[in-house]
Every structure is written in structure tokens, then in C-alpha cells.
Amino acid sequence: MKYKHNDIAINPKHPFANCQLDREQYANVLTQIVSHYADGFVLSVNGQWGTGKSTFMKMWDASLKLDGYQTVYFNAWENDFTPDPFVAILGEIQGLISPENASTFDKVIEIGGRIAHNAIPTLMKVVTKKILGEDIGEITEAITKEAGDIFKENVLEYQNKKEQFQAFRKELSNFIDANIEKKPIVFIVDELDRCRPDYAVEVLENIKHLFSIEGIVFVLAIDKEQLCNAIRGHYGSDRINAEEYLRRFIDVEYLLPEPQINLYCNYLYRYFDFASFLDSDHRSNHNQLCRDGEIFKEYTIEFATALRLTLRQIEKLFIHMRLVLRSLGPNRYLFPRSVFTLIYIRANDSLLYRKITQNKLSPQELMDALHQIFPESMLQQSAYSFGPSKGMHALAEFVYNYTKSVSPNINIMEPTVVNNETKYNFKFEADWLDKNSFVEAYKRCQDIYKDANWGFVVGSIDLLHNTIDS
């Protein structure tokens, strides 16, 4: 079986053929935006980490090529080992060279080389080099003299550098003009928010001051919140208005719609072949096990949606769940909702996980903890259905499994008969809980599972059992 989700294959002739999130429609919108603004501008595509943004950008890149656009795809994070982003960006543009325009690009490189050379030295580097080995008493005088000389030199060189910048932009523009007809070059910068802060800021500054010319559309694929954090880190202040700073560079901001969780969960169910275990003939013929596959799919979609999990988080949970199934026999109770929730807790709060699996929580402590995990939206009954919600069944199943693991005789609610009617007294306080609905769901767990408990499955979560060959 697979223990890792490989990158989705992108067919150059059908870029979105393997897209599992129905995102081709968004790529078409972005292409329309690019096509109407050939003068050159900076577009940001904003989406959180772990939401499939990079895969989308690569598919869109391939789609643009099909539509006749020349594109450059630059992963800034993979290239932030280079000391100068100016050189890296220019190196990516060099990929557009053809025999017909090589001489034009040579002029760009020549002037660009002078710009890069002038940008490297700093005052301290020069001073350190020149005073290395001198007596300590001479250092102060040397620094003072050297600083004055360098400052004078920089003032005299200002106009020269300014002219070089203008010449570079002119030659680059000539090169771009020779490469385009009616469609702009699309330069995609991905993973900028994951770079070291100084590199991310330098990329933005280079794009604005040196590469922002007619004929190039820069597309920044970013998590805006994380990039703002990088900007604050670069300037060493939480008080800087990072969003206002970004507006200096970005002309159009596009918010990538959130992925459809149901599509992705169903895709992962197929990709990791859950059906070979959960929908096997043996389990399908078992009264209590036959619906585990359906329950698992429904619950993962509801849980991931309610908690706003990223695609990357969902993927990790599915991988761990599939590992659990590898150590279970075909007739073993799984408790899919409880186990998936336990895996989530294990990944996000290891201390709480240990307390739960080691039976160290009182009923009140357990319910307080679960209140933080189960959103109330999951527990509310739909107006179009009867009985407890699916989320309420999941909560009741979890509590049932916990109490059974502590002691077969323990219970979190005690029945009393009043006027021939059974009432239940709870051993916890939870004003957020519809207790009648919870009682109904809990009693159902008692009827279905009887003497079963999750003890063996918890061992599988901790990878304590050997895998079983299927």
C-alpha cells in the first residue's frame, strides 16, 4: 500500500485532468485577467499553506503554455540558497533565450552584471578587509577614514547606478519585445512566503524596481498572512503595517477559493485504497461492520470541514488511518469516527492524547476537552432529519469508548425512574450539549458495541502491532 501521497501528475496536454478539486474554472479566470492587462503588472494569488496552491499554480502554468503564453515558473523557496535574488530572477528569464534573441539578452546580462557587482559590497565588508591585521589602535581611525571615502564614492556613483538601472530596464524591455507578440510573458513566483525573510523582501524589491516593465506579468503565489510575518521579521518589528507594505508591490489580489473538502476526502479514500479493507466482502456481510466505509467517508468530510483543516493536514490523517488498518483483522471493530478523532488529537495535542489513552481524565475533564475539539455546528440536529446529528453520534461513540476502556462497569450517566419515565443524571456539566440527543446517541452505542472497546485499535494508532498482509 502507499504510505505517501505523491505529487499529482500534470499532463501537458490536459493540465487539469488529474485535478481533484475542480479548480480549472479558477485558472480560466486568472488567464482572462492576464490576457486583458498585457502592459505588465503584479498579480498575487493568495491561499493558505497546505491548500494545494502550488499544485494549482503548476497546472495553470501548463494551461497557459497550451494557450500560447511564454511562462517562467520560479520556486523562490527552493532557490533562496542563492545570495542575490536579482541573479536568480535573471537566470530564470534566460530560459526564454532562442538563437534569434541571444545577442539581445547578452546586453541585458552585461548591464545586469554591473548592477549585481555594485550591489554586493557593504561598508563593513570593505572596512574589515582593509583593516585586517592592523593594530587595534588604528582601527577607529581607519573605519572613520574608510567610511568617509566610501560615502563620497557612493555619492559620486549614484548617478552612474541610476543610469545603469535605466539601461538595464531598457535592454530587458527590448528583449521582452523580441519575445512576445500579443501575449505577455507570465512569470510565476511560488513559495515566496516560505523563504527566509530577507530573501522574500529582496525578491519583492527586485520585481518592483528592476523587472516591472511592459510585457511581463508577475504572479506571486503566497499565503499573505505568512508573507506579512516574514516582512515583520525582516524589519524586526511587529508594529510595521505589513499589508500596507505589500500593496506597494501588488496591483491585483486574487483570493484562491477554499478547496472542496468532500472532493479531496473521497479522492484520498480511493488513492490509499481504503475500500480494500473497509468495503471487503467479509466486513460487508457483518451487521456491525458493514457501514464502516460509509461512516468513515461521511465523518472525515464533516470533521475536516468543521475544523477547517488544510489539505495537507487531511492527507496526514488519512495516511495514519491507513496504517492503522494494516494491523487489523477483517472482523475487528474499528470505531472509525473515534479512531480518526484520536489520530487528530495525537497529531495536535500529544499531552491530551496520552491522558485519553491512559484513562487519566475524569468525565468532566473529558467533556471539557471534547468541547474544544467538536465544533457545536457538528452537534446540531438538521431541520430536515430526525434524531441525533452525525456529529453527536461521533461524540457519544468517543465518550462510550473512553468509559469502556476505563472500566466495563463505569458510566457517565445514571438512570432514575420518575413517574414511570426514565431520566438520566450526568456526571459532568456541559451547557453546550443537548443532553437528550446525547443520551439517545450514547444508548445506541451501547446497543451496537456491547462489550467491544477500542483498546486494540489504540495500540494500532501507536503502531505497536505488526501489519497484517492483505
Side-chain angles (χ1 to χ4, degrees):
M1 64 160 283
K2 299 174 182 176
Y3 295 110
K4 178 184 177 181
H5 184 262
N6 297 318
D7 291 340
I8 294 176
I10 300 175
N11 185 332
K13 295 184 178 180
H14 304 282
F16 285 89
N18 294 325
C19 178
Q20 305 299 321
L21 302 173
D22 193 25
R23 280 178 160 174
E24 185 173 10
Q25 55 186 313
Y26 310 137
N28 294 335
V29 171
L30 292 177
T31 301
Q32 286 294 314
I33 293 174
V34 168
S35 67
H36 285 87
Y37 295 93
D39 289 345
F41 68 105
V42 178
L43 165 71
S44 72
V45 178
N46 184 21
Q48 288 184 322
W49 283 356
T51 55
K53 184 169 69 271
S54 290
T55 299
F56 169 76
M57 298 305 295
K58 291 175 183 177
M59 289 180 174
W60 182 41
D61 177 43
S63 177
L64 286 169
K65 287 183 170 68
L66 274 182
D67 289 338
Y69 287 87
Q70 293 189 78
T71 69
V72 176
Y73 182 87
F74 176 59
N75 188 311
W77 185 47
E78 291 180 354
N79 291 280
D80 71 353
F81 63 87
T82 57
D84 189 352
F86 171 75
V87 175
I89 294 173
L90 202 55
E92 295 293 337
I93 292 177
Q94 189 174 13
L96 301 175
I97 290 179
S98 65
E100 293 76 18
N101 58 36
S103 59
T104 307
F105 194 76
D106 286 344
K107 295 179 182 178
V108 176
I109 291 292
E110 180 184 348
I111 299 174
R114 292 200 295 268
I115 292 174
H117 176 74
N118 287 334
I120 291 173
T122 64
L123 173 63
M124 289 309 299
K125 286 181 180 178
V126 174
V127 172
T128 300
K129 181 179 179 181
K130 290 194 175 184
I131 67 174
L132 190 62
E134 294 184 8
D135 293 336
I136 190 67
E138 301 174 356
I139 290 179
T140 302
E141 181 182 354
I143 289 179
T144 302
K145 181 179 183 301
E146 203 64 49
D149 291 345
I150 291 175
F151 181 74
K152 180 179 179 180
E153 179 184 335
N154 284 342
V155 171
L156 295 175
E157 284 293 315
Y158 168 75
Q159 187 61 38
N160 180 44
K161 289 180 181 179
K162 184 177 179 180
E163 291 173 357
Q164 287 176 354
F165 283 1
Q166 292 172 342
F168 172 79
R169 288 167 59 89
K170 179 180 178 181
E171 293 300 334
L172 181 61
S173 182
N174 290 337
F175 174 73
I176 297 301
D177 286 344
N179 274 271
I180 65 173
E181 296 179 0
K182 296 181 179 180
K183 296 181 178 181
I185 293 172
V186 181
F187 193 116
I188 297 173
V189 181
D190 196 10
E191 304 274 28
L192 186 62
D193 43 69
R194 299 182 69 181
C195 297
R196 63 179 193 271
D198 59 320
Y199 191 84
V201 170
E202 288 177 23
V203 168
L204 291 172
E205 294 284 359
N206 272 276
I207 289 173
K208 176 177 175 61
H209 296 300
L210 293 171
F211 293 93
S212 181
I213 62 174
E214 185 174 339
I216 300 183
V217 173
F218 279 92
V219 182
L220 309 179
I222 60 173
D223 180 329
K224 187 176 180 180
E225 180 180 354
Q226 298 300 328
L227 184 55
C228 284
N229 290 337
I231 292 168
R232 296 186 190 98
H234 174 73
Y235 289 103
S237 174
D238 290 334
R239 299 179 64 183
I240 186 173
N241 189 333
E243 290 203 22
E244 184 61 35
Y245 175 87
L246 274 179
R247 291 192 186 100
R248 297 170 48 206
F249 305 98
I250 297 172
D251 299 301
V252 180
E253 182 176 349
Y254 181 83
L255 182 61
L256 187 64
E258 292 188 4
Q260 297 184 54
I261 298 300
N262 62 320
L263 295 179
Y264 196 64
C265 287
N266 283 318
Y267 160 69
L268 291 177
Y269 190 89
R270 298 189 303 270
Y271 184 86
F272 291 112
D273 191 23
F274 278 81
S276 64
F277 180 86
L278 295 178
D279 302 326
S280 65
D281 291 341
H282 184 89
R283 297 182 74 86
S284 297
N285 295 324
H286 192 291
N287 289 337
Q288 276 75 45
L289 307 178
C290 61
R291 293 192 62 248
D292 277 358
E294 179 184 349
I295 290 172
F296 176 74
K297 284 189 286 187
E298 290 179 348
Y299 182 67
T300 53
I301 293 170
E302 183 178 17
F303 188 82
T305 302
L307 272 66
R308 301 179 66 85
L309 301 184
T310 67
L311 303 187
R312 189 169 292 122
Q313 288 174 311
I314 297 169
E315 177 190 314
K316 298 299 183 184
L317 297 178
F318 265 75
I319 290 173
H320 200 118
M321 186 74 178
R322 195 62 182 87
L323 281 170
V324 170
L325 300 187
R326 288 288 295 173
S327 64
L328 299 181
N331 60 344
R332 178 74 66 173
Y333 277 94
L334 175 61
F335 315 104
R337 292 174 290 213
S338 296
V339 172
F340 192 78
T341 306
L342 266 180
I343 292 173
Y344 169 81
I345 295 172
R346 186 179 189 269
N348 293 276
D349 191 339
S350 59
L351 178 59
L352 175 60
Y353 175 78
R354 287 197 300 272
K355 288 181 177 179
I356 291 174
T357 56
Q358 295 173 11
N359 308 321
K360 292 183 177 180
L361 298 179
S362 68
Q364 186 64 58
E365 290 171 332
L366 177 68
M367 297 307 293
D368 289 345
L370 294 180
H371 184 206
Q372 303 304 313
I373 296 169
F374 284 86
E376 293 186 29
S377 60
M378 288 182 62
L379 307 179
Q380 295 171 353
Q381 181 180 3
S382 170
Y384 303 100
S385 62
F386 299 96
S389 66
K390 294 175 182 177
M392 186 66 77
H393 278 292
L395 174 65
E397 179 187 292
F398 195 98
V399 174
Y400 169 81
N401 273 304
Y402 179 79
T403 55
K404 290 289 289 186
S405 66
V406 174
S407 169
N409 300 319
I410 196 172
N411 208 332
I412 61 165
M413 55 189 187
E414 295 178 345
T416 59
V417 178
V418 179
N419 296 328
N420 296 322
E421 183 179 357
T422 302
K423 299 287 187 179
Y424 289 89
N425 298 318
F426 291 86
K427 296 183 179 181
F428 60 85
E429 291 296 327
D431 56 7
W432 50 274
L433 188 66
D434 181 338
K435 291 185 177 179
N436 290 331
S437 181
F438 178 81
V439 167
E440 184 177 344
Y442 191 87
K443 289 172 65 179
R444 178 172 173 79
C445 290
Q446 290 177 318
D447 293 338
I448 294 175
Y449 297 122
K450 297 180 181 178
D451 297 327
N453 66 73
W454 66 10
F456 186 88
V457 186
V458 170
S460 297
I461 294 174
D462 290 330
L463 307 180
L464 300 179
H465 306 309
N466 292 328
T467 60
I468 297 175
D469 294 331
S470 55

